[in-house]
Amino acid sequence: MDILHCDLDAFYASVEQRDQPALRGKPVIVGGRPGSRGVVSTCSYEARKYGIYSAMPANQAYRLCPQAIFLPPDIPKYIKASQQVFAILHRYSPVIEPLSIDEAFLDVSGCHSLFGSSTQIAQLIKQDVWEETGLLISVGIAANKFLAKLATNLGKPNGLLELGEEQVREILPLLPVNEIWGIGSKTAQRLKQAGIATASDLLLYPRFKLEAILGSNTDFYIQLCRGQDSRPVLSRSEQKSIGNEITFPQDLDDQKEIEHLLLELSCQVAYRVRHASLIAHTVTIKMRTPDFQTLTRSQTLQQGVDADLTIYKIALNLYHKSGLAGECLRLLGLNCSKLNDRTIEQPALFVDENDTLDQIIDDMKSKFGIDTIKRGSLLNRINRKI
Ligand SMILES: [Mg+2]
């Protein structure tokens, strides 16, 4: 049981309640304002009692709880709190994989002689975080990442739960499919339509039929439903670069179409950079011509970047200056490298007005799956800004 999952409780709302005692014990909603098209980014546990949850439209939240206190996100303040918490986590293990601004995995397998059992380490972390930041953090302990995250969710708020083999055997079969890591609301709906409501339903379902719903991830989810997850905890320093590329089914020379694909790649890659709590100092595009010549163009920046639009603008500029704009291509790629720890260095984007939006969109992506936000809305947003 060497994997810890740590997750701050109602992070943004808790920071506001910590700093403004008048907000304590009250329903606090951080995110969009009612009357706007914004969504709830985080809400306090008092607000959750009214059925409010992250990513809910602010207007709906207002209807459920008109007396709630709506606050705009104060991202720099949350970054500061996050840095303090990550500094505490680093005391207890060098192997830390951040999942978001308030969430991380720790592999503590090499740390027992220094700090004691996994439960003792979890207690020390909870105590330090509370004493030094005034925030509550939930910790889940298990044999792998999937089960540790599940333990945190089951223990929240202010949780400390270890899921041993026996508990896993009890809890896992009845786990609703929408609580399985990575299964978004759409996939969960399709599973339910097929009569699959729980992990044990999923395991009993014929594999070939399951594949029609879960695609190439079928085996991964089957493993999770068995409580197996072989993914190691990867610390940031092990990630050298994050990128993606597309090979076209036919050579493509439509410049607008290529620019559109560059935008898509930028959004995908930027999301992964942010999700790993990293910022990138180098953006590279890769282009391959029909005669298999491969050309890369890079820009290195003094200040790190991680916002969709910032990375897109850099990539677009590189494309236009490459001499290949409007030429026929068979492959297009985008890569972010010279990655730095976001908890050590603030990205340039915190002065970028798009950043709060990225943060809210990311919250939705991580809660509901990466496809929740349609490309169209991203495109509209970009058309408005550029
Ligand atoms: Mg959290």
Side-chain angles (χ1 to χ4, degrees):
M1 302 292 151
D2 284 331
I3 309 299
L4 267 56
H5 175 257
C6 303
D7 187 2
L8 288 154
D9 297 338
F11 179 41
Y12 298 175
S14 300
V15 172
E16 300 300 343
Q17 286 179 319
R18 175 195 71 181
D19 294 349
Q20 302 178 59
L23 299 177
R24 291 178 199 163
K26 297 206 173 120
V28 173
I29 292 170
V30 178
R33 293 201 162 275
S36 74
R37 290 175 62 200
V39 296
V40 174
S41 186
T42 313
C43 57
S44 68
Y45 280 90
E46 293 84 357
R48 293 179 196 198
K49 286 182 196 147
Y50 294 86
I52 297 165
Y53 50 83
S54 294
M56 174 185 274
N59 286 336
Q60 193 184 343
Y62 180 77
R63 282 195 297 275
L64 289 170
C65 182
Q67 71 272 33
I69 298 144
F70 286 80
L71 298 172
D74 183 347
I75 301 286
K77 189 157 82 172
Y78 310 144
I79 290 280
K80 199 174 160 231
S82 168
Q83 286 172 332
Q84 281 179 291
V85 171
F86 273 90
I88 293 169
L89 299 182
H90 277 282
R91 283 177 206 160
Y92 294 102
S93 172
V95 187
I96 297 180
E97 180 179 336
L99 286 179
S100 71
I101 189 168
D102 71 329
E103 214 181 321
F105 285 112
L106 273 73
D107 183 335
V108 297
S109 51
C111 313
H112 298 305
S113 58
L114 273 174
F115 302 111
S117 67
S118 295
T119 307
Q120 282 166 327
I121 295 172
Q123 276 162 344
L124 290 168
I125 289 171
K126 285 175 69 69
Q127 189 182 329
D128 287 1
V129 169
W130 174 250
E131 283 172 4
E132 294 172 38
T133 73
L135 297 168
L136 291 173
I137 192 162
S138 290
V139 184
I141 306 166
N144 62 46
K145 285 160 86 168
F146 167 60
L147 294 173
K149 193 171 160 79
L150 181 62
T152 305
N153 292 342
L154 293 171
K156 265 181 173 294
N158 197 15
L160 198 181
L161 185 66
E162 176 163 358
L163 277 187
E165 274 175 46
E166 211 168 299
Q167 289 99 315
V168 171
R169 267 197 300 274
E170 258 171 55
I171 292 166
L172 199 55
L174 299 171
L175 190 73
V177 284
N178 59 308
E179 287 180 33
I180 294 167
W181 189 350
I183 294 193
S185 55
K186 266 193 189 162
T187 309
Q189 233 174 338
R190 292 185 63 198
L191 289 168
K192 276 192 183 144
Q193 279 162 3
I196 303 167
T198 64
S200 64
D201 293 343
L202 192 143
L203 290 177
L204 289 170
Y205 205 72
R207 196 198 167 285
F208 72 99
K209 284 192 189 170
L210 207 53
E211 203 164 351
I213 305 172
L214 297 174
S216 58
N217 295 321
T218 306
D219 289 326
F220 172 66
Y221 288 122
I222 289 175
Q223 297 243 300
L224 293 189
C225 288
R226 290 181 181 141
Q228 296 161 351
D229 179 4
S230 57
R231 294 169 301 171
V233 175
L234 283 180
S235 52
R236 281 169 290 235
S237 55
E238 292 169 64
Q239 258 172 313
K240 294 258 183 288
S241 73
I242 293 177
N244 202 355
E245 54 186 48
I246 313 168
T247 305
F248 309 133
Q250 288 162 335
D251 295 343
L252 190 65
D253 66 353
D254 182 334
Q255 191 172 332
K256 280 275 162 278
E257 181 71 9
I258 291 170
E259 288 173 0
H260 174 93
L261 291 168
L262 210 49
L263 167 64
E264 240 187 82
L265 286 170
S266 302
C267 295
Q268 289 168 4
V269 172
Y271 172 70
R272 284 166 54 207
V273 169
R274 292 192 297 272
H275 203 68
S277 286
L278 294 166
I279 52 174
H281 283 265
T282 299
V283 176
T284 303
I285 63 164
K286 178 172 161 187
M287 294 155 290
R288 185 169 296 150
T289 55
D291 57 353
F292 285 93
Q293 300 280 340
T294 304
L295 185 90
T296 59
R297 286 287 179 269
S298 292
Q299 187 177 348
T300 296
L301 308 122
Q302 208 169 18
Q303 246 185 323
V305 293
D306 73 351
D308 294 355
L309 282 188
T310 313
I311 290 172
Y312 173 61
K313 282 179 194 167
I314 296 165
L316 192 65
N317 186 38
L318 290 171
Y319 170 64
H320 284 157
K321 289 204 301 201
S322 68
L324 287 180
E327 298 294 317
C328 221
L329 295 181
R330 62 178 309 134
L331 177 146
L332 184 68
L334 186 135
N335 192 282
C336 281
S337 56
K338 292 218 168 91
L339 300 169
N340 250 353
D341 191 331
R342 187 203 265 248
T343 57
I344 292 166
E345 183 191 337
Q346 285 206 5
L349 316 182
F350 283 82
V351 293
D352 189 323
E353 60 185 300
N354 298 310
D355 196 56
T356 308
L357 192 53
D358 280 342
Q359 182 69 47
I360 291 167
I361 289 173
D362 286 355
D363 281 353
M364 293 185 71
K365 278 178 178 166
S366 58
K367 294 242 155 57
F368 299 107
I370 201 157
D371 292 329
T372 307
I373 311 287
K374 290 268 172 290
R375 262 165 239 154
S377 62
L378 283 173
L379 275 175
N380 288 338
R381 189 176 126 217
I382 276 142
N383 292 338
R384 280 202 312 275
K385 299 269 183 198
I386 294 176

